[in-house]
Amino acid sequence: MREESTLIKQILDFAQEESSVRAVALNGSRVNPNVIRDIMQDYDVTFFIRNFEDISYKTNPNWIKRFGELIIFQQNDFKDGSYVFLMQFKEGVRIDLSFKNVMKVDEVIKEDSLTKILLDKDNIIPALPLPNDYTYYVKKPAQKEYDTLMNEAWWIQTYIAKAIWRDELPLAKYMFDVILIDCIRTILSWYIGINYDWNINVGKCGKWFKRFLPESIYNEFITLYPTIDYDEMWHTLFEADKFIRKIGSVVAEKLGYTYPMNDDMNVTEYLKTVQALPQNAAEFCPTKELNEIYVENVEKLFE
């Protein structure tokens, strides 16, 4: 695998030879002082080009061969006309190379605090502060954002319950593994944000949770990914409820918001009802025993 200095030189040599490329920036983990270096790090590079209407880089991508032998690449377009090549090379190097309009360079570089200018042919880019990840910090939610997220966290569980009851595993897994877990990740991000005074980047999809959460909470979180066994899914769903209740209540208290206790109680009752329904049930009706158990234990939900 090529060393970073070698690859950066190749990128800059190419940019110097291309008259349309006026500036080059390096973004992402390669310039983030808080990231632990490893061999899987991408090179996030931006070429700022003039004659932006010229799309020859897209129509004739033979230029990629200069950077190595590809395994696969993907080319994506953005609404503003910019585009990116995501390139995975056989030796392990990955380059995500974006092409953006040089006329918008001032606007673009302000969007990402993890930016280091490698080349500026026309001296048009003002001096930048040292790269840092403040634009990626967890943002403190407003009351409405908190309420909306918590509502989603409880609402989506009704889908999970119905999908389990109907034996619709793909739907149950998607709603649990993707939608519900994403809600929980957001709540955890806020929890971490509070503890770090909102000066913290938890990484894409919470990939750095292990660094910033107490070990006990992190271990609780990672047990919330269920298997394909329905009994285990029900068990994990109720464990997820406890976790949402615990972390969501702390976040609400710290922010001065109100935890949605009624949603919690009502959905928990609904889940228990669906769990107890026979597969051939002709009507939706909680059993007497279930109601008695629920009433007896409802206070324990918030212990």
Side-chain angles (χ1 to χ4, degrees), residues 23-299:
V24 180
L26 183 65
N27 309 94
S29 65
R30 290 276 170 179
V31 295
N32 188 342
N34 297 317
V35 169
I36 299 172
R37 293 296 187 99
D38 64 34
I39 60 173
M40 293 294 180
Q41 282 182 288
D42 304 341
Y43 290 85
D44 297 298
V45 180
T46 301
F47 281 178
F48 293 96
I49 60 175
R50 66 185 179 191
N51 302 324
F52 196 61
E53 65 282 356
D54 179 4
I55 59 172
S56 57
Y57 290 113
K58 290 200 294 183
T59 57
N60 184 20
N62 286 330
W63 55 269
I64 296 176
K65 295 178 182 178
R66 178 163 177 172
F67 295 102
E69 187 176 0
L70 281 170
I71 293 176
I72 189 172
F73 81 94
Q74 185 178 101
Q75 190 269 306
N76 296 318
D77 298 324
F78 301 104
K79 291 181 179 179
D80 63 357
S82 62
Y83 49 95
V84 63
F85 282 85
L86 311 176
M87 301 172 288
Q88 180 65 60
F89 296 93
K90 286 190 174 181
E91 65 176 303
V93 168
R94 172 170 162 174
I95 304 174
D96 292 351
L97 180 54
S98 300
F99 292 80
K100 297 182 181 292
N101 192 340
V102 70
M103 300 300 293
K104 296 183 178 181
V105 63
D106 287 343
E107 175 184 338
V108 171
I109 61 175
K110 291 177 182 178
E111 294 174 350
D112 191 345
S113 59
L114 288 173
T115 299
K116 179 180 180 180
I117 302 302
L118 302 181
L119 178 66
D120 182 6
K121 293 180 180 179
D122 307 307
N123 295 315
I124 59 174
I125 303 174
L128 297 177
L130 292 175
N132 62 83
D133 54 1
Y134 79 86
T135 55
Y136 297 87
Y137 285 171
V138 177
K139 303 297 189 297
K140 178 181 177 181
Q143 172 83 64
K144 184 177 181 180
E145 184 180 359
Y146 173 84
D147 291 344
T148 299
L149 190 282
M150 296 304 301
N151 176 265
E152 178 73 356
W154 288 104
W155 169 257
I156 205 65
Q157 295 184 51
T158 65
Y159 284 90
I160 298 170
K162 287 193 292 185
I164 294 175
W165 185 79
R166 289 171 170 167
D167 189 19
E168 297 171 341
L169 182 62
L171 177 61
K173 289 288 287 179
Y174 178 81
M175 291 297 176
F176 199 130
D177 295 4
V178 179
I179 308 299
L180 181 59
I181 289 295
D182 190 55
C183 290
I184 294 172
R185 280 201 302 263
T186 300
I187 298 169
L188 276 177
S189 296
W190 293 339
Y191 178 87
I192 294 171
I194 290 170
N195 291 333
Y196 284 83
D197 197 26
W198 308 104
N199 295 313
I200 195 68
N201 172 17
V202 297
K204 186 176 181 179
C205 297
K207 64 181 180 180
W208 296 326
F209 278 173
K210 190 173 183 178
R211 297 187 196 175
F212 305 122
L213 285 170
E215 183 178 1
S216 60
I217 291 179
Y218 179 75
N219 288 336
E220 281 186 71
F221 168 65
I222 62 176
T223 63
L224 299 181
Y225 289 88
T227 67
I228 62 172
D229 179 85
Y230 285 139
D231 288 337
E232 290 184 19
M233 287 187 71
W234 276 119
H235 172 76
T236 307
L237 184 58
F238 288 116
E239 290 301 307
D241 289 350
K242 295 177 185 176
F243 193 73
I244 292 169
R245 188 175 303 125
K246 178 169 71 174
I247 304 301
S249 296
V250 171
V251 170
E253 180 182 359
K254 296 293 185 180
L255 296 180
Y257 301 160
T258 301
Y259 177 77
M261 185 180 297
N262 285 337
D263 288 348
D264 184 325
M265 294 172 61
N266 290 337
V267 172
T268 300
E269 180 179 14
Y270 174 84
L271 297 179
K272 290 180 179 293
T273 301
V274 176
Q275 184 186 29
L277 281 177
Q279 287 300 116
N280 60 349
E283 60 179 340
F284 188 87
C285 182
T287 65
K288 179 181 178 182
E289 293 80 7
L290 179 62
N291 274 328
E292 290 175 350
I293 293 172
Y294 178 75
V295 171
E296 179 182 348
N297 295 316
V298 68
E299 292 85 0

